[in-house]
């Protein structure tokens, strides 16, 4: 039976997300059984309870943004393995005369902003969790193009399953720089526990209700990560 690493010290953190100088526990090079079981139970219950609201959201997206209702994209997951992520679409398919997509700010509607701010666009990712592509908690799955831009330390964010929410999301979300996000992601990899996952889920509820740090400063979404110029791979 897989061992479960419990790290009670995470409960001493303040809600500001300040990280204290703690030793890194030994991590297993596999997905803990307890985490996978937790994901299956929570995502299954969430799909059952939220199914009417998910269906209603799908109808609203279809009327307000058109078809397809779901946005799909290939993302890297655990150990960089590629999978297809499912989300509700938040942008219109508006293109210029040459057929290129217009900037995000021009395609993101009021409905899309609401879906993002309330995280309703993330609900279809519960399917990804059931499939084993994602976890309830973990570093957010980003673009495939970023894989070659990470430093070796930043690439360690792929040592766990990506999540719907994560340590970076409850400690600044898109108000953080990419480097700050990756530092928080790697910290989570080194200090994972079920207690920490529960804490992050509870903090996520508060962040969603307050709609904090949804967009990067001065951006409609988040600017593209082009690599960390101050660090060499």
């Amino acid at each position: 039976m897989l061992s479960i690493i419990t790290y009670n010290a995470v409960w001493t953190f303040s809600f500001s997300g300040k990280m204290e100088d703690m030793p890194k526990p030994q991590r297993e090079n596999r997905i803990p059984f307890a985490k996978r079981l937790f994901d299956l139970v929570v995502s299954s219950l969430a799909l059952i309870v939220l199914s009417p609201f998910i269906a209603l959201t799908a109808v609203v997206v279809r009327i307000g943004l058109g078809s397809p209702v779901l946005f799909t994209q290939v993302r890297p997951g655990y150990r960089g393995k590629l999978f297809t992520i499912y989300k509700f679409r938040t942008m219109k398919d508006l293109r210029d005369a040459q057929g290129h997509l217009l900037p995000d700010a021009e395609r993101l509607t009021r409905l899309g902003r609401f879906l993002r701010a309330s995280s309703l666009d993330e609900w279809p990712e519960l399917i990804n969790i059931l499939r084993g592509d994602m976890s309830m908690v973990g570093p957010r799955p980003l673009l495939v193009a970023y894989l070659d831009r990470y430093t070796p330390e930043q690439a360690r964010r792929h040592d766990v399953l990506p999540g719907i929410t994560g340590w970076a999301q409850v400690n600044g979300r898109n108000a953080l720089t990419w480097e700050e996000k990756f530092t928080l992601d790697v910290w989570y990899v080194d200090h994972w526990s079920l207690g920490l996952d529960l804490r992050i889920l509870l903090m996520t509820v508060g962040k969603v209700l307050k709609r904090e740090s949804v967009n990067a400063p001065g951006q409609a979404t988040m600017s593209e990560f082009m690599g960390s110029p101050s660090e060499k791979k």
Side-chain angles (χ1 to χ4, degrees):
M1 182 176 180
L2 300 179
S3 60
I4 303 174
I5 299 174
T6 304
Y7 210 80
N8 294 328
V10 297
W11 294 95
T12 64
F13 292 165
S14 66
F15 275 78
S16 65
K18 182 179 180 181
M19 294 183 293
E20 298 179 4
D21 187 16
M22 300 191 306
K24 296 178 182 180
Q26 295 296 317
R27 313 306 301 172
E28 294 184 353
N29 189 22
R30 52 188 174 181
I31 301 170
F33 174 78
K35 184 173 178 65
R36 181 60 184 145
L37 180 61
F38 176 81
D39 287 336
L40 286 173
V41 172
V42 175
S43 60
S44 297
L45 290 175
L47 278 172
I48 293 172
V49 173
L50 297 174
S51 57
F53 304 101
I54 294 175
L56 178 61
T57 303
V59 172
V60 171
V61 170
R62 178 65 179 84
I63 295 174
L65 295 173
S67 181
V69 170
L70 292 181
F71 167 80
T72 61
Q73 190 176 55
V74 175
R75 301 280 179 94
Y78 180 65
R79 297 297 185 186
K81 180 180 178 181
L82 302 184
F83 71 97
T84 300
I85 193 172
Y86 301 101
K87 302 176 69 172
F88 282 126
R89 69 180 300 181
T90 57
M91 297 184 186
K92 288 192 172 182
D93 188 25
L94 301 178
R95 299 175 182 268
D96 59 21
Q98 288 71 42
H100 301 128
L101 286 172
L102 295 177
D104 291 351
E106 297 182 43
R107 296 189 296 121
L108 188 61
T109 65
R110 181 178 299 179
L111 172 59
R113 290 189 178 90
F114 170 76
L115 292 173
R116 286 172 176 247
S118 59
S119 294
L120 296 179
D121 63 319
E122 311 283 359
W123 280 356
E125 291 171 35
L126 292 170
I127 299 173
N128 287 118
I129 295 175
L130 288 178
R131 293 177 53 176
D133 301 324
M134 294 179 61
S135 174
M136 289 298 299
V137 180
R140 286 294 298 162
L142 302 175
L143 300 180
V144 175
Y146 294 178
L147 288 174
D148 293 332
R149 302 174 188 175
Y150 296 132
T151 65
E153 179 69 6
Q154 291 169 347
R156 293 179 56 229
R157 67 192 303 277
H158 290 289
D159 286 352
V160 296
L161 283 170
I164 288 182
T165 185
W167 190 233
Q169 279 60 53
V170 298
N171 284 291
R173 200 174 177 180
N174 288 333
L176 301 171
T177 65
W178 282 115
E179 286 73 17
E180 290 170 334
K181 284 185 178 183
F182 298 151
T183 297
L184 292 168
D185 288 341
V186 173
W187 185 92
Y188 172 82
V189 170
D190 290 330
H191 298 90
W192 172 83
S193 72
L194 285 181
L196 179 58
D197 277 5
L198 287 170
R199 182 177 180 83
I200 291 172
L201 287 174
L202 290 174
M203 293 176 69
T204 298
V205 174
K207 295 291 182 179
V208 170
L209 291 176
K210 294 179 181 179
R211 301 183 186 179
E212 294 180 341
S213 307
V214 177
N215 301 320
Q219 301 282 339
T221 54
M222 187 71 185
S223 60
E224 183 178 357
F225 173 63
M226 301 305 296
S228 299
S230 61
E231 298 184 45
K232 293 184 178 180
K233 298 180 182 179

